[in-house]
């Protein structure tokens, strides 16, 4: 390891000094602490000790006696016996070189100004500081608000949230006037521009009306024996402190079981966009509900990753907010499948309208106790009709029928299929 | 319902932890027979004596460093520094030793050091007795910083702080010391790093620090009359900061105001604003707003002191401005 020998800073403000003479010769062995050379600063001549031991190698172009030398200049190296000195012209040491004088110096005037502004405290260059009356210093110290910089807007500004809403609601924001303080377009402007009391409804219905003409829809129906599901749900109802959470209703079970079924039938979780079918890995289910303001379709995201209890919790909260017209745009978008429970309105089957972004909709009828045949006997069971409306461009009838049957099987044995 | 003052709740926490663990001891000026300048240790000296309630000279650097060493040796010292302004004297030890020791020993040494005392501007305490300074500690790796706002949280958080193996700054705002609140009898802990929503709302999110939580709640009550619904989030711990609660709230409201008595530059508000901008840019419907104490040393004169700190009216106006953005 070669140790550079640098011309030292002998005074606080010293920048150059005079190299007087070497005390050792090139090739001499030097012990730590021995005098290496003599240097002259502003005030005095000083013998410079060696910080290390080694063989002295004086650089060929190192200063002559009497020469003016900048502080930090490398004069030579101390090396081990088997080592060669680094080649290189005499140069000022950088911060990386080992120096035997103290380092940092507060000479940058911009730093001084900043310090003065922020703290008003004295710095090393106190003589340079102008003292102002205390009030002025306080004013300097107030940051950012006093700055004169003003951004010139190139076009109407829009908040990130509003931009996202515009995309979701298909609104061209470049033609909207903003109500924000700087003329900025905010979320409310987008909602109003989509010209509906609740933008979500507008888009949902528009999408659904369009889907009456574009997808090729077909409907399949089936009936599920939900006696076990009803019993399971009742048992939960009776269960004391049910984690203090909402007790799941049958819709919550069906949503989870539908998601499980979609996992087995990924082609049903697809989207038809620009003449191609895109199947989604993630399962987000929209659960349609009729409210005072109309049809609302809040979305439960990532259904497969959520327990039935969590789905119940989320859905109750979303339903409550849907009733109050408080759903925000991202709670109504992104679904890969829709479930609609019409049982609450005593309806059995329905020919749903498919959302443009999905390939199928599942309708649940009411749960009715009916006499059904078990073998050759008649028993009374709780039955629920299932209607599947699907887009024939994406899914053929066979697959859809298979999917509906899967849902029926799952719904009929929730104990088994919730464990998947 | 059992009501205690903030000071009583913290004292109860300290008493319980001292009873539970003989390695817990308190060091500071007047913590012995005097019971603490702000009654932080009243009654404890009679029970535990001078071994565990140690009076010190006015030498914050000395007794803090002493406690740093004690913590390394296996004790659980509580430094009662009275006011955070005084503890600045020990910054060299705190930053270079206490904060770094666990890293520098590769985890072999722990630093179960609690530094507790009061902070905040109130009652004409003047420029040297009104400090907040918590950003200094939040900024250094190794520290935990806790700013409880209710007697319930104060008790639970001090117990957690004493049981923690990290150096914890436990800062009690002057304006809260006499506040009364419900403190249950059975033992409980409040975890570090968890914020709490003090008031739910939809139009704007206000994150407030320490005493500002109560002022923000007053402002929110006023704004309710104007039909404005404000959500008030109380971080309770500043390091580590519970950003999830804040992000969830901003996701819902789209507008954020941070209210902090301490100065704006590089403060809690600046940190929260940067993180919200980084992680929830698309949730924002307006620029993030900060309301801080005036960037001056705290005045002694009562009318001047009153205007350098955010008031409920000032906070309400800041929310209105935010909604008009």
């Amino acid at each position: 390891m070669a140790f550079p020998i640098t011309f030292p800073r002998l005074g606080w403000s010293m920048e150059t000094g005079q190299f007087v003479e070497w005390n050792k010769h090139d090739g001499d062995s030097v012990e730590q602490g021995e005098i290496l050379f003599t240097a002259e600063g502003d005030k005095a001549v000083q013998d410079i000790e060696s910080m290390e031991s080694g063989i002295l190698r004086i650089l060929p172009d190192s200063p002559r006696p009497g020469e003016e030398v900048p502080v930090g200049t490398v004069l030579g190296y101390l090396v081990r016996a088997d080592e060669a000195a680094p080649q290189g012209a005499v140069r000022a040491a950088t911060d990386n070189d080992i120096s035997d004088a103290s380092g940092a110096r507060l000479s940058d005037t911009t730093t001084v100004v900043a310090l003065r502004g922020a703290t008003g405290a004295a710095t090393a260059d106190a003589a340079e500081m102008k003292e102002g009356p205390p009030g002025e210093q306080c004013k300097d110290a107030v940051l950012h608000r006093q700055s004169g910089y003003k951004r010139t807007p190139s076009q109407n500004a829009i908040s990130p949230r509003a931009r996202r809403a515009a995309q979701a609601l298909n609104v061209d924001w470049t033609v909207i006037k903003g109500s924000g303080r700087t003329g900025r377009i905010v979320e409310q402007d987008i909602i109003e521009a989509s010209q509906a009391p609740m933008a979500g409804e507008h888009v949902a219905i528009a999408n659904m009306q369009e889907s009456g003409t574009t997808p090729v829809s077909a409907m399949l129906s089936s009936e599920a024996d939900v006696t076990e599901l009803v019993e399971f749900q009742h048992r939960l109802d009776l269960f004391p402190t049910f984690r203090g959470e909402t007790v799941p209703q049958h819709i919550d079970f069906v949503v989870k079981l539908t998601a499980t079924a979609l996992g087995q039938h990924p082609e049903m979780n697809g989207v038809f966009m620009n003449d191609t079918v895109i199947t989604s890995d993630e399962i987000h289910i929209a659960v349609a509900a009729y409210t005072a303001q109309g049809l609302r379709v809040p979305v439960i995201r990532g259904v497969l990753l959520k327990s039935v209890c969590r789905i119940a919790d989320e859905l109750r909260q979303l339903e409550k907010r849907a009733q109050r017209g408080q759903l925000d745009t991202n709670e109504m978008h992104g679904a890969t499948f829709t479930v609609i429970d019409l049982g609450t309105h005593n309806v059995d089957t329905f020919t749903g309208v498919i959302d443009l972004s999905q390939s199928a909709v599942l309708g649940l009828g009411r749960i009715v106790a009916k006499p059904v045949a078990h073998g050759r006997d008649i028993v009374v069971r709780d039955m629920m009709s299932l209607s599947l409306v699907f887009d024939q461009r994406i899914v053929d009838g066979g697959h859809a029928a298979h999917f509906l049957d899967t849902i029926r099987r799952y719904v009929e044995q929730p104990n088994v299929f919730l464990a998947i | 319902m059992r009501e205690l003052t903030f000071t009583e709740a913290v004292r109860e926490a300290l008493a319980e932890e001292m009873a539970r663990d003989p390695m817990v001891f308190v060091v500071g000026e007047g913590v012995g027979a005097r019971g603490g300048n702000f009654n932080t240790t009243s009654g404890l000296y009679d029970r535990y004596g001078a071994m565990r309630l140690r009076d010190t000279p006015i030498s914050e650097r000395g007794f803090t460093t002493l406690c740093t060493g004690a913590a390394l040796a296996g004790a659980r010292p509580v430094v009662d520094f009275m006011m955070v302004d005084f503890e600045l004297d020990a910054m060299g030890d705190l930053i270079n030793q206490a904060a770094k020791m666990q890293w520098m020993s590769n985890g072999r040494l722990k630093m179960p050091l609690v530094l507790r005392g009061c902070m905040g501007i109130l009652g004409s305490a003047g420029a040297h007795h009104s400090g907040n300074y918590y950003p200094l500690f939040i900024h250094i790796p190794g520290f935990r910083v806790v700013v409880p706002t209710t007697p319930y949280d104060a008790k639970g958080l001090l117990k957690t702080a004493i049981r923690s193996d990290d150096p914890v700054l436990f800062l009690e705002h002057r304006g809260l010391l006499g506040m009364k609140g419900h403190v249950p009898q059975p033992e409980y802990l409040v975890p570090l790093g968890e914020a709490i929503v003090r008031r739910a709302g939809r139009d704007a999110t206000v994150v407030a620090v320490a005493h500002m939580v109560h002022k923000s709640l007053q402002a929110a009550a006023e704004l309710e009359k104007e039909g404005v619904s404000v959500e008030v989030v109380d971080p309770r711990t500043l390091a580590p900061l519970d950003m999830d609660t804040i992000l969830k709230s901003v996701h819902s409201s789209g507008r954020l105001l941070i209210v902090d008595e301490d100065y704006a530059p590089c403060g809690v508000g600046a940190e929260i604003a940067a993180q919200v901008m980084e992680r929830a840019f698309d949730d924002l419907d307006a620029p993030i707003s900060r309301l801080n104490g005036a960037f001056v040393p705290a005045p002694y004169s009562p009318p001047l002191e009153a205007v350098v700190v955010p008031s409920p009216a000032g906070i309400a106006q800041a929310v209105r401005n935010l909604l008009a953005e």
Side-chain angles (χ1 to χ4, degrees), chain A residues 159 161 164 181 184 187, chain B residues 251 281 283-285 325:
Chain A
S159 84
R161 194 180 181 100
R164 205 187 50 186
R181 183 179 59 84
R184 184 189 303 122
E187 188 183 32
Chain B
H251 177 71
F281 185 71
D283 282 340
L284 292 170
D285 209 22
E325 271 286 339

Side-chain angles (χ1 to χ4, degrees), chain B residues 34-267:
Chain B
R34 184 175 156 79
N37 199 38
F38 293 133
N39 299 320
T40 47
T41 53
S42 318
L44 294 175
Y45 184 78
D46 292 337
R47 212 179 311 161
Y48 297 113
M51 262 301 270
R52 297 179 73 188
L53 279 304
R54 289 176 175 260
D55 279 324
T56 66
I58 302 175
S59 171
E60 279 72 18
R61 179 156 200 199
F63 62 73
T64 301
T65 313
L66 183 155
C67 287
T68 304
L72 288 177
R76 304 197 87 87
V78 175
V79 174
D80 187 332
F81 52 70
M82 218 189 299
M83 284 174 227
V84 71
D85 318 66
F86 308 155
E87 192 60 7
L88 295 177
D89 213 43
M91 282 306 257
D93 163 72
L94 287 174
I95 294 178
N96 280 320
Q97 311 305 334
K100 296 178 186 176
M101 194 58 73
Q102 295 185 85
W103 272 285
M104 296 190 72
S105 68
N106 198 25
R108 294 201 306 282
L109 298 171
K110 301 277 171 241
M111 185 55 63
L113 179 65
V114 172
L115 304 134
R116 56 80 59 101
C118 82
M119 64 169 178
I121 302 173
L122 191 66
S124 283
H128 294 132
H129 295 69
S130 306
N132 285 298
Y133 303 130
Y134 31 83
L136 302 177
F137 301 104
I138 296 165
H139 184 68
I140 305 297
F143 287 122
R144 309 282 181 226
V145 180
V146 169
V147 288
T149 57
T150 61
Y152 177 93
D153 283 337
K155 180 177 177 187
L157 283 168
L158 183 66
K159 286 170 73 82
T160 305
I162 290 174
R163 295 186 197 191
S164 165
D165 284 341
D166 298 319
V168 181
L169 270 298
F170 184 90
L171 300 169
E172 309 156 70
H173 195 286
R174 297 164 167 276
L176 299 171
L177 299 180
M179 172 192 180
K180 281 200 143 148
H182 170 57
V183 178
Q185 190 80 51
E187 190 182 45
Y188 67 93
L189 296 175
V190 173
L192 302 191
E194 267 189 32
I196 192 168
V197 176
R198 292 285 180 203
R199 180 187 228 271
R202 282 196 61 81
D203 297 326
T205 300
V206 172
V207 177
V209 181
H211 194 36
M212 294 298 110
V213 169
H214 300 282
K215 295 196 178 182
S216 300
L217 288 170
Q218 284 177 262
E222 273 308 302
L223 289 165
E224 181 86 56
K225 300 177 190 163
E226 297 164 31
V228 172
S229 154
V230 170
E231 181 148 295
V232 178
V233 177
D234 176 2
R236 298 194 294 186
T237 302
L238 296 178
L241 189 55
D242 177 3
M243 280 306 297
D244 285 354
T245 303
I246 296 171
L247 288 167
K248 195 158 156 245
S249 182
V250 172
H251 177 71
S252 164
S253 70
R255 285 160 198 262
L256 175 62
L257 167 69
I258 302 133
V259 184
D260 183 8
E261 186 182 281
D262 195 37
Y263 310 121
C266 303

Side-chain angles (χ1 to χ4, degrees), chain A residues 64-85:
Chain A
R64 306 260 151 270
E67 208 176 299
E68 193 77 10
V69 181
V71 165
T73 305
V74 176
L75 308 173
Y77 289 87
L78 287 168
V79 299
R80 286 195 317 270
D82 52 348
E83 221 179 342

